[in-house]
Amino acid sequence: MSGFQGLFIPGPTNMPFAVRQAMDIPLEDQRAPDFPQFSLPLFQDLKKAFKTEKGQVFIFPSSGTGGWEAAITNTLSPNDKVLIAVFGQFSHLWADLCQRKGLNVDIMQVEWGEGFPLELAAQKLEADKKHEIKAVLVCHNETTTGVTSDVAGVRKVLNAANHPAMLMVDGISSIASIDFRMDEWGVDVAVAGSQKGFMLPTGLAIVAVSQKALEAHKTAKLPRCFFDFADMIRTNKDGFFPYTPATTLMRGLRASLDMLFAEGLENVFARHNRLAEGVRKGVAAWGLSLCAKEPKWHSDTVSAILIPKGFNSDDLVKIAYYRYKMSLGVGLNKIAGRAFRIGHLGSFNEIMALQALAGVEMALMDVGVPIEAGSGVAAAQQHFRKSAPQIQLAKVA
Ligand SMILES: *Cc1c(COP(=O)(O)O)cnc(C)c1O
């Protein structure tokens, strides 16, 4: 194939050359005496990506799902009550994992397209005078629907109710792309994965844990082995691991963190907002709607776009894949066939966003959705011309 198969899904994301090169190295000895000189600073720098100084970060060789499992099995006991909102496939799967692990799961079913229900959660926490709820679980960025929830708001609700429950966050498609502040928001466990904002292959679950959660870990009785924090704590302090770490991915992670810090985290967030806003302008110009029902829930990492009635979004995704060599995200579960997704996170820029919009336009027209060719691209171009960083040109004499 000429050129590249376009990757416009919300994960895995596009891998920068610098990250790929950092991993194109001979395999190394994970027990080498100088390995800690690499691993200890990596742990320290990861904390910056979560904006935590007080917390501890663990790196598991696993996909993000393992991070969910690590979060709950290390901090909770069988039959403990947890409060979670389900508004998409990922929040649904985390709730399902909690049930299968033997927790008492109080699920707040929320309409897909909306975010975490702060008022309902506030009522439940207020009513829970005996403090039976041990943890509140929040999917920061629901990748199914392109909805970002207000984690700081959940912290406020917990504080207002004077409730001691831990706050756990799935930040797999937000951390390192959308502002996330572990310490400031009082998050006790935050889960990230390597293949989204960190621009790496799948294979690392990165879990940041507060001192309060580490304290809970001491008495938590859910069975655990592979994901046990205790084994990590014992070995990580000297820069080593209880079993073979994914050293290659960790070398890539070093490069990815270096890139994120060189750009500056706040600039990374601003870039994601700019690109997402351009995509949203394009969607509006087509006359289509986002799955996210209100602007306050708009995700800066992924847009889920509803296809008009009478059309099948799976057809569109298939056409885009075969005819135009681009991968889009399909609609999952409740919105299968009704929505498609454009991932615009990680190593992503204006021209890539325009490519995605141009390809989607062709595929939309191919399935028969009446849009005007170039309308979405033009709307995004205008936004990018206004918002892309200015450069200083030398004066011509
Ligand atoms: C991708 C994703 C997951 C699942 O992670 P895996 O790496 O596929 O196990 C969980 N939650 C969210 C919000 C995600 O975007």
Side-chain angles (χ1 to χ4, degrees):
M1 190 179 73
S2 290
F4 299 100
Q5 173 80 30
L7 192 62
F8 303 107
I9 58 174
T13 61
N14 293 278
M15 183 162 50
F17 288 118
V19 171
R20 197 184 299 184
Q21 280 169 345
M23 295 190 293
D24 188 7
I25 51 167
L27 292 175
E28 63 190 303
D29 172 9
Q30 81 278 11
R31 298 190 207 284
D34 60 354
F35 190 73
Q37 290 167 27
F38 164 65
S39 58
L40 291 174
L42 187 67
F43 285 127
Q44 276 314 109
D45 284 346
L46 264 177
K47 288 164 64 163
K48 295 182 200 156
F50 285 80
K51 294 193 181 168
T52 182
E53 287 181 2
K54 301 181 212 141
Q56 179 163 3
V57 181
F58 300 110
I59 306 171
F60 295 99
S62 158
S63 86
T65 300
W68 283 341
E69 184 160 336
I72 61 156
T73 56
N74 278 287
T75 55
L76 297 165
S77 297
N79 292 315
D80 272 358
K81 187 166 177 179
V82 297
L83 180 64
I84 186 169
V86 169
F87 39 77
Q89 178 69 356
F90 294 102
S91 42
H92 160 69
L93 287 174
W94 200 10
D96 177 63
L97 187 148
C98 290
Q99 283 172 330
R100 291 203 238 168
K101 281 286 175 187
L103 294 172
N104 172 4
V105 188
D106 185 351
I107 298 180
M108 300 178 285
Q109 292 288 353
V110 174
E111 205 180 327
W112 288 29
E114 296 182 9
F116 190 91
L118 292 175
E119 277 174 32
L120 180 57
Q123 284 166 21
K124 285 187 179 271
L125 291 165
E126 285 289 352
D128 181 35
K129 296 294 179 214
K130 287 197 213 141
H131 295 163
E132 283 171 352
I133 298 170
K134 299 299 176 205
V136 178
L137 277 48
V138 183
C139 182
H140 186 200
N141 187 75
E142 179 47 85
T143 317
T144 318
T145 53
V147 161
T148 302
S149 286
D150 179 8
V151 177
V154 182
R155 168 46 61 200
K156 277 195 202 125
V157 159
L158 277 160
N159 288 355
N162 223 341
H163 202 293
M166 286 177 282
L167 174 54
M168 302 196 190
V169 176
D170 170 352
I172 297 176
S173 64
S174 59
I175 290 169
S177 312
I178 296 175
D179 195 14
F180 180 81
R181 309 177 190 187
M182 175 143 180
D183 285 0
E184 191 182 320
W185 297 346
V187 173
D188 293 297
V189 188
V191 180
S194 50
Q195 79 273 26
K196 304 202 174 162
F198 287 105
M199 310 174 283
L200 289 160
T202 316
L204 297 179
I206 307 165
V207 183
V209 185
S210 73
Q211 291 303 321
K212 178 171 155 182
L214 287 173
E215 205 47 45
H217 167 258
K218 292 179 183 159
T219 52
K221 295 205 166 44
L222 273 178
R224 54 189 180 260
C225 171
F226 183 81
F227 289 113
D228 201 327
F229 291 165
D231 301 315
M232 284 290 182
I233 292 168
R234 189 167 38 76
T235 49
N236 284 178
K237 73 173 181 356
D238 301 319
F240 295 105
F241 288 81
Y243 40 72
T244 318
T247 54
T248 312
L249 290 172
M250 286 164 57
R251 291 286 171 185
L253 180 59
R254 178 70 264 167
S256 132
L257 288 174
D258 290 344
M259 284 184 74
L260 290 166
F261 298 151
E263 184 176 356
L265 278 182
E266 304 311 313
N267 294 330
V268 170
F269 305 148
R271 171 169 54 83
H272 280 82
N273 178 260
R274 185 166 76 240
L275 298 172
E277 199 54 37
V279 169
R280 289 191 282 264
K281 293 260 196 295
V283 172
W286 296 331
L288 302 189
S289 306
L290 293 171
C291 187
K293 287 195 183 345
E294 288 182 44
K296 68 173 178 182
W297 287 318
H298 283 170
S299 165
D300 283 345
T301 56
V302 54
S303 295
I305 300 152
L306 297 172
I307 197 159
K309 277 210 173 56
F311 301 100
N312 186 336
S313 59
D314 287 344
D315 293 343
L316 171 123
V317 172
K318 208 173 270 174
I319 285 173
Y321 184 81
Y322 286 114
R323 292 201 75 197
Y324 306 121
K325 316 286 182 288
M326 63 185 302
S327 285
L328 298 166
V330 292
L332 296 172
N333 193 321
K334 276 190 196 178
I335 53 172
R338 292 176 41 218
F340 63 96
R341 294 173 296 153
I342 300 176
H344 32 75
L345 74 160
S347 182
F348 210 75
N349 62 28
E350 282 79 0
I351 294 299
M352 293 162 86
L354 294 173
Q355 282 182 334
L357 292 170
V360 168
E361 287 186 355
M362 292 193 283
L364 278 169
M365 291 185 282
D366 289 353
V367 294
V369 178
I371 63 147
E372 193 183 325
S375 57
V377 171
Q381 283 172 324
Q382 281 196 3
H383 178 69
F384 295 151
R385 288 194 58 228
K386 266 196 310 208
S387 60
Q390 296 293 340
I391 63 155
Q392 214 58 50
L393 296 177
K395 280 222 170 66
V396 181

